[in-house]
Amino acid sequence: MALQVKNFQEYKEAYQKSVENPALFWEEQANTFQWHRKWDKVLDWNFEEPNIKWFEGAKLNITENCIDRHLKDKANQTAIIWEPNDPNDETIRFTYQELHDEVCKTANMLKSLGIKKGDVICFYMPMVPQLAISVLACARIGAIHSVVFAGFSAKALADRINDASVKMVICTDGNNRGSKQIAVKKVVDEAIELGCPSVEKVLMLKHTHQEVNWNLNLDILWSQAIKEQPPVCPATVMDAEDVLFILYTSGSTGKPKGVVHTCAGYMVYTTFSFKNVFQYQEGDIYWCTADIGWITGHSYIIYGPLAAGATSIMFEGVPTYPDAGRFWEICDKYKVNQFYTAPTAIRALMAKGDAFVDKYNLDSLKVLGSVGEPINKEAWEWYDNKIGKNKCPIVDTWWQTETGGMMISNLAGVTPQKATFATLPLPGIQPCLVDTDGNEIEGNDVEGLLCIKHPWPSMLRTTYGDHERCKNTYFSVFKGKYFTGDGARRDKDGLYRIIGRVDDVINVSGHRLGTAEVENAINACDFVIESAVVGYPHEIKGQGIFAYVICNSNVDNDRLEPLVRDKVSKIIGPIAKPDKVLLVSGLPKTRSGKIMRRILRKIAEKEISNLGDISTLLNPEIVDEIIEKAGLKTVSS
Ligand code: PRX
């Protein structure tokens, strides 16, 4: 089995080895997996093009590593536990054998519908077991999955479908979310209507049994297509660097990027990081609350845990249904050992009061995890005291869609932990801090821009259909380094603390959104002339969205706000709805016409005592007007 370091000394040794001889280190890890053919070369790379190849020449199928190889001694162990939205509905469990059979049946169904190696399948599906199963079925036959979070709008879905020339969309009729039932197929229909010429079939699983429109030319019913499919499907042998999946994420520009991950390196690293960060032991019950629509769900609900032979819980619902004790009820019900969630959820549940926690027995918990955004001290302490009863290490895992796996995190109970610090890099990860000129900042007790100096197996290989964009975004900002977009601090002991994004990306409830993306959506309102969006500290969401909007007619602020929120919801999805919308007559601009977001951020943060030099602005007078409209002070004060 893959290396699992057990104490700080072992970590230090592993880390040193991984830096001194990365190829040897990762070769040893890779040797613990099942291959059809081993590699000719462990690593070939340059960060200029970039061109990164791990385990070149090797042949494998990731699903044989996630499923088949466990059948010898774990056929009857539970692989996936599915907990429904409604606690009174039935739990569904899949042993590794059952998972194998379901994945094979689904893979055969996809083949019977004409799907071949290299075809792209888009998932617009809530957290049903068939989502995990059919993602694995894609991987089984070498089809590329592109999962789109089922909260995105029809427009956002259509953009993602078209960017990757998707051949088939897989969806459900609807989605159960707390007390609500949400239409899913309807959104797919709307996306298709917007124009998705590459889509040949829409495969729909009945889940909520709500009424749907049926297009005989396109739509196929899952229950019919899967009938009589045999539970055996030979895995397609893939090259190490064949594409495993595409996952879209937001950047500083308006258009989301399709981050591309490949088979072998992703498999090796997600498994390695899963075992080491969570210190997963045989028989443990592990639960990651993320949605499979995000990278956390890909790497740490599906691939990492299954490749490690774990039991992984998948939850359909929301943390507050039927009440704010639901997470803790589930932990108690299944005797969860490792629990992994986002700070937003922790803050939201903390605000509901301790009574919801106290009802449940949380003795089984051994490790708590946090991901997606910086965790504030108060939330960290509540998590530690109330949930972990001060006996569970908290792993604060910093990573990104692009990194594929956890990069900087303490290893539970093995390496030092410090509240609000991601702490030390995992073995194989070589972070550094640079100044704005790209000079590396050495030593401790320093702050800078976070970069990674050396490739790691699960890093992105390209952005789908636009390699230049990958190069420009991540590899050209600082020569010879991968730039993360985050700022970080290294304390006197060399521990890292992530400060947050330094680009025009905001992190709302752990969801990444580009300010340009939200602005484009706002600008699509007929009456809007221009807008500027910034993030501001939000008690629950981490960051909220503040939109400054210039309009061409007499729309007042009260009318403007719902119109803007509705438009953004339609174009991107409800997660991108601005929290605050302010009607302004102008935006502070430099003489070259660039919006001074720094000033807008300060106003949104209500930090107007030190706005810096505004005299060089094209329109300095607008600043006072905006401050007044934001209700912070009057022009004359
Ligand atoms: O700013 C960092 C923040 O989330 C960004 C990556 O977002 P995404 O690609 O959606 O992936 C989220 C799940 C891995 C990062 O650039 N971030 C992620 N984890 C942390 C974090 N910020 C602080 N602490 C973390 N633990």
Side-chain angles (χ1 to χ4, degrees), residues 71-317:
L71 296 182
K72 202 156 59 74
D73 52 359
K74 281 190 181 157
N76 296 321
Q77 184 203 296
T78 304
I80 294 177
I81 299 175
W82 182 76
E83 166 73 10
N85 175 62
D86 184 336
N88 299 316
D89 287 349
E90 217 176 306
T91 300
I92 303 179
R93 290 169 195 265
F94 297 86
T95 62
Y96 272 96
Q97 183 66 55
E98 288 163 342
L99 182 64
H100 170 272
D101 297 355
E102 291 305 315
V103 168
C104 286
K105 277 194 229 167
T106 309
N108 285 325
M109 165 174 69
L110 296 178
K111 283 205 286 193
S112 75
L113 296 172
I115 298 299
K116 295 184 300 296
K117 183 180 173 194
D119 288 342
V120 183
I121 296 190
C122 173
F123 289 81
Y124 189 76
M125 222 174 181
M127 288 285 281
V128 291
Q130 288 82 356
L131 172 56
I133 288 166
S134 42
V135 156
L136 289 162
C138 273
R140 185 81 174 175
I141 60 172
I144 299 166
H145 54 83
S146 168
V147 184
V148 175
F149 173 63
F152 277 115
S153 69
K155 168 84 173 69
L157 174 61
D159 289 347
R160 285 156 177 79
I161 288 174
N162 291 330
D163 188 70
S165 305
V166 164
K167 193 164 169 184
M168 178 190 274
V169 180
I170 305 186
C171 66
T172 56
D173 46 359
N175 178 12
N176 299 311
R177 259 189 102 63
S179 56
K180 284 190 266 182
Q181 248 197 25
I182 296 165
V184 173
K185 168 74 161 51
K186 188 166 165 271
V187 182
V188 176
D189 292 344
E190 284 166 14
I192 302 276
E193 254 168 54
L194 288 170
C196 298
S198 59
V199 175
E200 292 173 12
K201 291 186 172 75
V202 173
L203 179 62
M204 189 196 84
L205 173 83
K206 274 194 190 169
H207 179 55
T208 54
H209 299 277
Q210 57 190 242
E211 232 179 87
V212 293
N213 281 333
W214 204 248
N215 178 345
L216 287 172
N217 294 327
L218 217 56
D219 297 342
I220 291 175
L221 199 55
W222 176 292
S223 55
Q224 280 178 1
I226 201 149
K227 251 191 222 154
E228 285 161 31
Q229 294 294 349
V232 175
C233 174
T236 299
V237 177
M238 306 288 283
D239 287 339
E241 285 295 342
D242 276 342
V243 176
L244 175 63
F245 68 85
I246 307 168
L247 187 57
Y248 285 85
T249 190
S250 295
S252 330
T253 61
K255 196 169 165 261
K257 303 182 271 271
V259 169
V260 171
H261 285 289
T262 56
C263 294
Y266 177 81
M267 170 183 80
V268 171
Y269 192 78
T270 51
T271 315
F272 174 84
S273 50
F274 172 75
K275 289 194 64 159
N276 281 282
V277 170
F278 293 110
Q279 289 292 303
Y280 184 87
Q281 304 300 315
E282 288 286 306
D284 282 349
I285 308 290
Y286 160 86
W287 180 23
C288 166
T289 69
D291 191 290
I292 289 172
W294 311 112
I295 190 69
T296 309
H298 283 60
S299 302
Y300 299 112
I301 294 179
I302 302 182
Y303 289 112
L306 295 178
T311 300
S312 176
I313 297 180
M314 200 179 153
F315 174 42
E316 182 189 16

Side-chain angles (χ1 to χ4, degrees), residues 251-532:
S252 330
T253 61
K255 196 169 165 261
K257 303 182 271 271
V259 169
V260 171
H261 285 289
T262 56
C263 294
Y266 177 81
M267 170 183 80
V268 171
Y269 192 78
T270 51
T271 315
F272 174 84
S273 50
F274 172 75
K275 289 194 64 159
N276 281 282
V277 170
F278 293 110
Q279 289 292 303
Y280 184 87
Q281 304 300 315
E282 288 286 306
D284 282 349
I285 308 290
Y286 160 86
W287 180 23
C288 166
T289 69
D291 191 290
I292 289 172
W294 311 112
I295 190 69
T296 309
H298 283 60
S299 302
Y300 299 112
I301 294 179
I302 302 182
Y303 289 112
L306 295 178
T311 300
S312 176
I313 297 180
M314 200 179 153
F315 174 42
E316 182 189 16
V318 294
T320 48
Y321 180 79
D323 63 37
R326 188 68 192 277
F327 273 5
W328 323 124
E329 187 227 302
I330 297 173
C331 285
D332 189 355
K333 179 171 173 186
Y334 299 110
K335 304 291 167 225
V336 169
N337 302 114
Q338 290 89 6
F339 176 74
Y340 191 29
T341 197
T344 295
I346 300 169
R347 287 190 293 264
L349 297 179
M350 182 170 81
K352 302 276 184 189
D354 294 351
F356 289 108
V357 184
D358 295 339
K359 279 203 275 186
Y360 301 102
N361 181 341
L362 299 178
D363 286 351
S364 60
L365 289 173
K366 295 197 286 192
V367 178
L368 301 176
S370 173
V371 60
E373 43 174 329
I375 181 165
N376 51 310
K377 191 112 196 255
E378 207 192 344
W380 195 99
E381 280 168 357
W382 185 80
Y383 204 24
D384 187 32
N385 296 331
K386 285 311 295 182
I387 309 303
K389 319 289 181 205
N390 301 104
K391 67 170 177 56
C392 300
I394 296 178
V395 290
D396 181 355
T397 64
W398 171 82
W399 57 296
Q400 308 177 298
T401 305
E402 295 86 342
T403 69
M406 303 181 278
M407 301 286 281
I408 303 182
S409 171
N410 49 316
L411 312 183
V414 168
T415 61
Q417 87 176 20
K418 182 171 175 182
T420 77
F421 277 67
T423 71
L424 295 172
L426 265 70
I429 306 305
Q430 298 185 33
C432 66
L433 298 176
V434 300
D435 63 22
T436 44
D437 296 325
N439 303 311
E440 196 168 331
I441 305 169
E442 308 278 351
N444 288 338
D445 207 5
V446 289
E447 210 170 289
L449 304 168
L450 181 62
C451 293
I452 314 286
K453 290 198 273 196
H454 188 275
W456 63 100
S458 65
M459 69 186 298
L460 86 164
R461 301 300 195 263
T462 188
T463 46
Y464 195 81
D466 194 350
H467 194 63
E468 214 38 38
R469 188 163 180 210
C470 170
K471 177 180 169 170
N472 293 339
T473 313
Y474 306 106
F475 298 94
S476 302
V477 186
F478 302 114
K479 204 169 176 321
K481 296 183 179 72
Y482 165 84
F483 176 46
T484 64
D486 280 314
R489 157 154 213 90
R490 195 163 53 223
D491 77 355
K492 59 179 182 13
D493 302 314
L495 305 183
Y496 286 88
R497 176 173 206 269
I498 310 301
I499 298 167
R501 302 290 304 195
V502 294
D503 52 9
D504 290 326
V505 168
I506 35 188
N507 194 327
V508 181
S509 303
H511 302 320
R512 230 167 109 170
L513 292 163
T515 50
E517 204 180 343
V518 183
E519 287 161 7
N520 289 346
I522 297 175
N523 297 347
C525 294
D526 292 340
F527 48 84
V528 169
I529 297 175
E530 197 180 4
S531 64

